Amino acid sequence: MKILVTEGNPSGSKLAYKIIRDVNENGGKVFGFATGIAPEETYRLLRESDVDFTDKISINLDEYIGLSNDHNQSYHYFMNRHLFNEKPFKKSYLPDGMGDPEEVIREYDEILEENPIDLQILGIGVDGHIAFNEPGTSFDSTTHISYLDESTIKFNSQLFNSIDEVPRSAFTMGIKSIMDCKKIILLAFYESKAQAIYDTVLGPITEDVPASILQKHPDTTLILSKKSAKLLPENIITYVSDEEI
């Protein structure tokens, strides 16, 4: 696990952008995307770049159940707004939040099997979840329905008019599917994520902290701010100055 620490954003997002660009230019065909606040600046940099994804495939981690694709808080809407409208892919896959659960799960597992992900972007929850794999999710999980923890609902409510509007469940790529990705970059810039980052890097590998399984992944890079990395010892991190990016 490589741990890169910057002053924060936009520095961390620039690092992520450079990694995505490099993978794209060196034969990467399938890109796994996350939603939320952490990757927004990276997506802006991609939108404004000359990176060409028109012969590539994208696969998203998750989608709320019960939100239509055009709902302004659906992840379909998020990805179109923040990336796809300006940077179209040959094919972009997201779970259908209004679809039949058994069919959505079966189809998404087939998509993942047929399109191995070269680079997956992740965020992390304050409870250590990745995608919508909440604490207690099996490390052997593939696509499934996740019932969101209260901490996740509370954190995500900042994007809704009220906490009551936040869906309570979502389709999500499973932890096994994430671990099958060839390369992973995890973005975390908030101080509120510091304990989750510590547990991910130095805690025991446990389903109580889903992200801790990343300790076993052969090619994972954490891109952190000084605030989110504040609990980590100096000897395991690499500081990257703005001048180096």
Side-chain angles (χ1 to χ4, degrees):
M1 184 180 288
K2 185 185 296 184
I3 304 170
L4 304 180
V5 178
T6 72
E7 290 294 330
N9 248 344
S11 303
S13 294
K14 289 179 181 177
L15 270 181
Y17 161 77
K18 290 177 70 174
I19 293 172
I20 295 167
R21 186 183 187 101
D22 182 66
V23 171
N24 187 60
E25 292 176 350
N26 286 280
K29 296 294 185 183
V30 183
F31 292 81
F33 289 123
T35 54
I37 297 170
E40 282 189 12
E41 176 66 11
T42 299
Y43 296 159
R44 183 189 68 80
L45 293 170
L46 288 170
R47 288 198 313 271
E48 297 177 359
S49 75
D50 61 356
V51 174
D52 184 6
F53 291 121
T54 55
D55 64 341
K56 307 302 170 70
I57 292 171
S58 73
I59 303 177
N60 263 69
L61 287 169
D62 41 32
E63 177 61 283
Y64 286 120
I65 291 176
L67 298 190
S68 61
N69 294 352
D70 60 355
H71 189 286
N72 65 4
Q73 291 301 330
S74 76
Y75 291 159
H76 284 76
Y77 185 95
F78 178 100
M79 292 305 302
N80 286 331
R81 176 185 175 191
H82 290 283
L83 188 60
F84 297 156
N85 287 343
E86 298 293 330
K87 291 292 178 181
F89 285 69
K90 179 172 67 175
K91 184 67 178 178
S92 291
Y93 295 105
L94 294 93
D96 180 1
M98 301 295 289
D100 173 78
E102 288 187 7
E103 185 174 342
V104 170
I105 290 168
R106 177 184 58 78
E107 289 183 351
Y108 222 63
D109 280 339
E110 289 178 358
I111 289 166
L112 290 165
E113 184 175 352
E114 293 169 2
N115 300 280
I117 294 174
D118 293 298
L119 173 63
Q120 176 65 59
I121 300 171
L122 294 177
I124 187 169
V126 295
D127 57 4
H129 74 248
I130 46 177
F132 272 131
N133 294 290
E134 299 284 20
T137 302
S138 170
F139 286 152
D140 294 324
S141 60
T142 55
T143 307
H144 62 279
I145 294 174
S146 172
Y147 296 94
L148 309 187
D149 284 0
E150 286 303 314
S151 62
T152 302
I153 293 168
K154 182 178 179 180
F155 186 85
N156 289 2
S157 67
Q158 63 188 299
L159 302 173
F160 290 79
N161 293 323
S162 74
I163 195 169
D164 295 331
E165 293 184 8
V166 183
R168 267 44 183 179
S169 60
F171 293 115
T172 185
M173 191 186 299
I175 295 175
K176 180 182 182 300
S177 304
I178 292 171
M179 291 295 287
D180 286 341
C181 299
K182 296 174 187 175
K183 184 179 184 66
I184 293 172
I185 53 176
L186 185 150
L187 310 178
F189 305 123
Y190 286 100
E191 188 172 4
S192 61
K193 305 296 179 72
Q195 185 62 53
I197 291 297
Y198 178 89
D199 293 341
T200 295
V201 176
L202 294 174
I205 297 174
T206 169
E207 291 175 354
D208 291 336
V209 182
S212 65
I213 193 63
L214 296 176
Q215 294 178 37
K216 290 189 172 184
H217 192 273
D219 190 357
T220 289
T221 299
L222 273 57
I223 301 178
L224 311 174
S225 67
K226 286 184 176 180
K227 289 182 178 179
S228 64
K230 71 176 189 178
L231 300 180
L232 299 180
E234 296 276 342
N235 65 323
I236 67 169
I237 65 179
T238 300
Y239 281 110
V240 183
S241 68
D242 289 350
E243 291 75 21
E244 295 175 274
I245 300 173

